[in-house]
Amino acid sequence: MSDFLKIQQINKTFQPDKEVRIEALQDINLEIEAGDFVVISGPSGSGKTTLLNIVGGLENATGGTVILDGQNVTGLAEKELSHLRRNHIGFIFQAYNLIPVLNVRENIEFIMKLQGTTQRACDQGVEEIAKKLHIDDLLKKLPHQLSGGQQQRVAVARAVAAEPKLILADEPTANLDSQNAATLMDMLEHLNQHEGITIIFSSHDPMVIERAKHSIVLKDGKVVSNERFN
């Protein structure tokens, strides 16, 4: 397999004031293959979320380069980054980040409409995704009417609706009970294996970590372990 994502000498420094300087990431070098199923783990404050945000173009690195599918993400202007996020990357957040005034159908099709997809194609795409994720009976409900597990399924549906090459999931099981967490991981594994989507998630959940094909461990902003499994 070819390297789909190359992270080269990434550094991130926060300086909230003149007296304090925080080295959030230090000389991160990683290579992720297309179709990989990757977990980034490590203690709180180790840099997991910061690294995901830099890969996804949500945050700028202080130094270094991220090359995604041959494109230098760190060298893109904001307009180009918006295009990259909209068309090639799906995001699943710990807090779900659903739009509260939109129902489930509208949340799922939101990115599709930004891409210029016709309403007919949106309807068809939403129906197919909703059936796969077993939320087709929830399409008219608003986020506040859903359980945490249901909201996370909608977040997954929204992430895959745009047919991304990469999904970034930040602590996706943190607010779920063990049964819903296992269901979510089943969904992500299915998308990875059958749709070929590269998935990178951060987690400290042992159940999540043991399912990964590629495990990366951060500590104090540095890579302390990088293992691939068959």
Side-chain angles (χ1 to χ4, degrees), residues 15-173:
Q15 194 153 6
D17 56 54
K18 292 182 180 179
E19 309 299 323
V20 179
R21 180 183 172 91
I22 302 167
E23 301 285 351
L25 295 173
Q26 301 178 57
D27 299 327
I28 303 293
N29 291 284
L30 295 167
E31 295 181 349
I32 308 296
E33 297 176 345
D36 216 344
F37 196 61
V38 187
V39 63
I40 300 174
S41 62
S44 179
S46 60
K48 302 186 298 294
T49 297
T50 300
L51 181 56
L52 283 185
N53 287 344
I54 290 172
V55 169
L58 296 173
E59 203 169 315
N60 292 321
T62 307
T65 305
V66 173
I67 299 173
L68 176 61
D69 203 21
Q71 186 172 32
N72 184 352
V73 175
T74 46
L76 296 180
E78 183 53 42
K79 185 176 180 180
E80 295 169 310
L81 277 175
S82 295
H83 181 272
L84 178 77
R85 290 191 294 262
R86 183 174 67 242
N87 294 292
H88 300 297
I89 303 175
F91 296 92
I92 301 172
F93 300 99
Q94 179 179 338
Y96 317 133
N97 284 20
L98 301 178
I99 302 170
V101 297
L102 300 183
N103 65 27
V104 168
R105 176 184 293 278
E106 292 164 338
N107 264 283
I108 295 171
E109 70 182 12
F110 184 74
I111 300 297
M112 299 168 76
K113 287 193 168 183
L114 289 180
Q115 291 177 321
T117 306
T118 66
Q119 186 60 55
R120 183 176 180 180
C122 281
D123 290 342
Q124 183 178 349
V126 169
E127 295 289 343
E128 289 176 0
I129 293 165
K131 283 180 182 177
K132 284 182 182 178
L133 299 180
H134 308 295
I135 54 172
D136 45 314
D137 59 335
L138 305 175
L139 293 176
K140 294 182 179 179
K141 291 185 178 291
L142 292 169
H144 77 269
Q145 297 173 307
L146 307 177
S147 68
Q150 289 171 334
Q151 288 189 61
Q152 192 63 295
R153 289 191 198 193
V154 177
V156 172
R158 183 184 57 185
V160 301
E163 299 182 345
K165 298 176 181 178
L166 171 67
I167 287 179
L168 300 175
D170 189 18
E171 297 278 5
T173 64

